[in-house]
Amino acid sequence: MSHLPTVTLNNGVEIPQFGFGVFQIPDDETTAAVGHALQAGYRSLDTAAVYGNEAGVGRALADSGIDRDELFVTTKLWNADQGYDSTLRAFEDSLAKLGLDHVDLYLIHWPTPARDLYVDTWRAIEKLVADGRVRAAGVSNFQPAHLKRLLDSSSLVPAVNQIELHPALQQRELRDLHAAHSIATEAWSPLAQGAVLAEPALVDIAARHDKSPAQVVLRWHLQLGNVAIPKSVTPARIRENIDVFDFVLSDEEMSALGGLDRGLRTGPDPDTLN
C-alpha cells in the first residue's frame, strides 16, 4: 500500500485514502472487477453483507497472490442483523464468505434509529476488536445525533464514519463533528452517481488539468482529507479513477467545487431508513 496515500485512524491503523467499492456489483462479476482493481493498484476493498458479493471479493483476494498485510478489507453489518448476539453471528458469516481470519474495518451499515439497536451492536463490535477479529471499528451513515449517542455510551470512538459525500452533498456539520473526535470521513457515492459531472465549473476545471470531471472530484476528496471509494466494473474507468495523484487543485478550484453543495442525496435518508 506504500504507493497510495494513507489516513491514520484514531487507533493507529492506516487506511489507504483511496479504495474500491463493490456496491451493486453481482457476485459473479465481483471477482473480475476486484481483480482489475488490484491490478490497477488498489489495495483497499469495500463490501458489505447486504451487497451479496463478499464471496466474490474473497475469491479475488485468494486469486491475487497479494500478501494479506498489503490489503485493507472493509465489510458492513446489515440492519436486520443488529443486536449483540446477531452481530457476532453475522460477522462470522461475513468472515467465512471473505475467506479471511480478520477484517481491517467493520462498520454498522446504517443507524436504523427506529430499531434502537446500534448501541448494543456497537458493544458486540467492541468485543470483535478486543478479540483481534477486527482491526478498526466504525459506522456508516450515522448522523450527528446517532454519533453523539454512541460517543456518550461507549469508550470506543468509531474510527470511521462512511457517509454519502460528494460536491452536491458536502455534509460540513458532520465532517466538523468527525474532526472534533478524530473520526475519519469516508465517502461513498463520491461521484454522486454521475449527477455532478456536467457542472460547468467542474467541466472547466477538468479541461484546465486535462483530466476527466470524475478525476477532479476524486482529487477534491483527497485534498479535503476524505477517504474515497469509487466503484466501477469497467477496467478503463477503474484505472482512470485511481489516476489522480499527478495534479493538484488550487485553492480557487477547491473553493469553486465547495460552492456546488445543494443538499442532494442519491441514497436513503439515514434518519428514516430501517
Side-chain angles (χ1 to χ4, degrees), residues 80-117:
D81 294 318
Q82 284 203 34
Y84 187 88
D85 292 331
S86 51
T87 293
L88 297 177
R89 289 192 297 268
F91 175 77
E92 295 299 337
D93 185 52
S94 288
L95 210 59
K97 289 176 179 174
L98 288 163
L100 301 176
D101 62 5
H102 72 279
V103 297
D104 299 283
L105 179 62
Y106 196 44
L107 306 177
I108 302 176
H109 205 151
W110 293 87
T112 61
R115 294 172 185 261
D116 196 25
L117 290 170

Side-chain angles (χ1 to χ4, degrees), residues 6-73:
T6 61
V7 170
T8 301
L9 302 178
N10 57 24
N11 66 346
V13 170
E14 292 189 359
I15 180 173
Q17 200 181 357
F18 207 84
F20 184 69
V22 297
F23 176 56
Q24 292 183 328
I25 303 179
D27 188 66
D28 59 356
E29 298 177 25
T30 295
T31 302
V34 172
H36 290 306
L38 292 172
Q39 290 170 10
Y42 296 78
R43 289 297 180 266
S44 177
L45 305 169
D46 181 274
T47 184
V50 76
Y51 298 171
N53 56 20
E54 289 171 313
V57 171
R59 289 191 298 270
L61 296 177
D63 292 346
S64 72
I66 298 171
D67 289 345
R68 176 65 181 92
D69 61 6
E70 293 184 31
L71 299 164
F72 193 99
V73 180

Side-chain angles (χ1 to χ4, degrees), residues 7-15 72 103-106 122 125-126 128-130 132-138 155-160 181-184:
V7 170
T8 301
L9 302 178
N10 57 24
N11 66 346
V13 170
E14 292 189 359
I15 180 173
F72 193 99
V103 297
D104 299 283
L105 179 62
Y106 196 44
W122 190 246
I125 293 177
E126 285 182 296
L128 293 170
V129 172
R133 317 297 301 287
V134 170
R135 294 180 66 219
S155 60
L156 180 65
V157 177
V160 169
H181 294 278
S182 300
I183 298 169

Side-chain angles (χ1 to χ4, degrees), residues 31-233:
T31 302
V34 172
H36 290 306
L38 292 172
Q39 290 170 10
Y42 296 78
R43 289 297 180 266
S44 177
L45 305 169
D46 181 274
T47 184
V50 76
Y51 298 171
N53 56 20
E54 289 171 313
V57 171
R59 289 191 298 270
L61 296 177
D63 292 346
S64 72
I66 298 171
D67 289 345
R68 176 65 181 92
D69 61 6
E70 293 184 31
L71 299 164
F72 193 99
V73 180
T74 300
T75 193
K76 310 178 196 75
L77 175 83
W78 184 236
N79 304 345
D81 294 318
Q82 284 203 34
Y84 187 88
D85 292 331
S86 51
T87 293
L88 297 177
R89 289 192 297 268
F91 175 77
E92 295 299 337
D93 185 52
S94 288
L95 210 59
K97 289 176 179 174
L98 288 163
L100 301 176
D101 62 5
H102 72 279
V103 297
D104 299 283
L105 179 62
Y106 196 44
L107 306 177
I108 302 176
H109 205 151
W110 293 87
T112 61
R115 294 172 185 261
D116 196 25
L117 290 170
Y118 61 82
V119 173
D120 282 343
T121 298
W122 190 246
R123 287 196 304 110
I125 293 177
E126 285 182 296
K127 173 177 169 50
L128 293 170
V129 172
D131 291 346
R133 317 297 301 287
V134 170
R135 294 180 66 219
V139 295
S140 184
N141 301 299
F142 273 47
Q143 298 279 66
H146 311 136
L147 265 183
K148 289 173 183 175
R149 184 179 174 204
L150 209 57
L151 292 168
D152 288 343
S153 60
S154 170
S155 60
L156 180 65
V157 177
V160 169
N161 188 13
Q162 184 185 114
I163 56 174
E164 181 177 356
L165 181 60
H166 44 73
L169 182 70
Q170 299 191 19
Q171 306 243 45
R172 288 182 174 91
E173 178 191 1
L174 198 45
R175 288 191 286 125
D176 287 346
L177 181 61
H178 294 170
H181 294 278
S182 300
I183 298 169
T185 300
E186 186 169 27
W188 66 260
S189 194
L191 302 173
Q193 299 185 29
V196 298
L197 299 185
E199 289 281 353
L202 178 54
V203 172
D204 178 63
I205 293 168
R208 213 176 298 155
H209 289 279
D210 194 23
K211 291 289 183 178
S212 71
Q215 287 172 312
V216 170
V217 172
L218 293 171
R219 182 70 207 179
W220 172 81
H221 280 288
L222 294 176
Q223 289 183 216
L224 284 178
N226 300 335
V227 178
I229 47 170
K231 162 247 174 176
S232 178
V233 295

